[in-house]
Each structure stands twice: as C-alpha cells, then as structure tokens.
Amino acid sequence: MRTGIGYDVHQLVSGRKLILGGVTIPFEKGLLGHSDADVLIHSVCDALLGAAALGDIGLHFPDTDLSFKDINSMILLEKTRQLIMDKGYYIVNIDATIFAQAPKISPQREKMVSNISKTLNLDLDQVNIKATTTEGLGMIGTGDGIACMSIALIEKKHHIA
C-alpha cells in the first residue's frame, strides 16, 4: 500500500464560478486559476499522483499548456485515474478536507462525493469529504481563498499466474 498527500489553494475573485468537486456552488465569487480551479479535485489528483510516485498535477497538466485552459477538473481526475491504473495500481480510498470560511460546503458534499466516486470508479464509502473554516484567520478566514488537503491510499494490483 502507498499513500499520497495533495494540497491546493486558489484565490477567490469576482466574475468566476465556484466549482468544488465538480459541483457549481452558488456564491458571489469563484476560484481563480488556469483551469476551473477546483481545489478539491486538484488536491485529490496530487494525492493520487504522489502515492504512485508520478509527480504532481503541474507536471502532467501544466498551466502553460493552453489545452488545459478553463478545463473541467473532472477530466483531469479521469486522466489521473488512468495514469494510476497504467502503473498497476488501484485506489483504496480518498479523504479530503476543504478549508473555506464561506460558503457552507455541507449542502453540496454528497454530490461532490458522488462525482469523485463515479469518476474514479469507486464506491461512495471509498471517498470522504470534510470541510472546516479557519476561524476567520489568514487568507481563507478573510474570504480571499479556499484550500483543500487530500490523502489517497492506493495498492498494487496482484496478478495471479
């Protein structure tokens, strides 16, 4: 078994949609980034890539590549799943924590879990998403950004000879 940790943070700005876990969340600001800036999906991708010793999301989907401009991060998650599978691994589980002062994440949590589970071909109980505030502290606490930290557990597929 191997574990990987992923982390991502993006600035909240006016004029962008807020997308987390592939869900568009009604909010007055969205995350700024080259893609759709989905910090949840980006941190999950990094956790999976790290667990398989495949580098990070910037290596595979660089922000200098125009083909990834405004891309739906669920596509990046699917491509990450394929990279993991190609290296002979399967995903055991994902656990993620979103750090956001606002909006409330809990109303969208089940849909986020469903989106990630479906994309990674996992059961719902193999994906967990939590959320917390930073009690008003730092850039997240002032409403200037959202971050996410994820951990992934993967295991090598066993071939029967």
Side-chain angles (χ1 to χ4, degrees):
M1 286 195 206
R2 298 173 64 119
T3 59
I5 298 172
Y7 177 80
D8 196 32
V9 61
H10 283 274
Q11 180 183 2
L12 279 167
V13 297
S14 298
R16 295 266 303 187
K17 290 182 182 178
L18 177 58
I19 301 170
L20 293 171
V23 177
T24 301
I25 299 173
F27 196 58
E28 65 268 10
K29 293 180 181 178
L31 294 169
L32 181 63
H34 183 71
S35 66
D36 63 7
D38 187 330
V39 294
L40 171 56
I41 299 304
H42 294 182
S43 72
V44 169
C45 288
D46 267 349
L48 289 166
L49 292 167
L54 288 171
D56 62 21
I57 194 170
L59 176 68
H60 295 278
F61 316 113
D63 63 6
T64 56
D65 186 335
L66 291 180
S67 69
F68 300 121
K69 177 74 175 139
D70 297 322
I71 194 168
N72 180 334
S73 290
M74 299 305 289
I75 295 169
L76 303 181
L77 185 60
E78 169 58 32
K79 290 177 183 289
T80 299
R81 183 187 72 82
Q82 192 59 53
L83 289 167
I84 300 302
M85 290 177 53
D86 290 349
K87 198 161 178 192
Y89 290 101
Y90 68 93
I91 302 164
V92 177
N93 75 302
I94 302 288
D95 186 35
T97 302
I98 300 168
F99 301 88
Q101 200 64 38
K104 290 285 185 197
I105 303 302
S106 57
Q108 307 297 333
R109 190 185 91 59
E110 286 184 33
K111 181 64 177 158
M112 292 176 196
V113 168
S114 176
N115 286 347
I116 293 170
S117 298
K118 190 179 300 179
T119 302
L120 294 177
N121 292 330
L122 300 174
D123 293 333
L124 292 173
D125 67 356
Q126 290 176 275
V127 176
N128 188 59
I129 299 169
K130 308 172 297 293
T132 189
T133 69
T134 59
E135 302 296 331
L137 299 174
M139 70 167 274
I140 293 167
T142 59
D144 292 326
I146 295 178
C148 186
M149 183 170 283
S150 300
I151 188 165
L153 179 64
I154 64 173
E155 193 163 9
K156 199 74 157 173
K157 293 177 186 173
H158 300 288
H159 296 286
I160 300 172

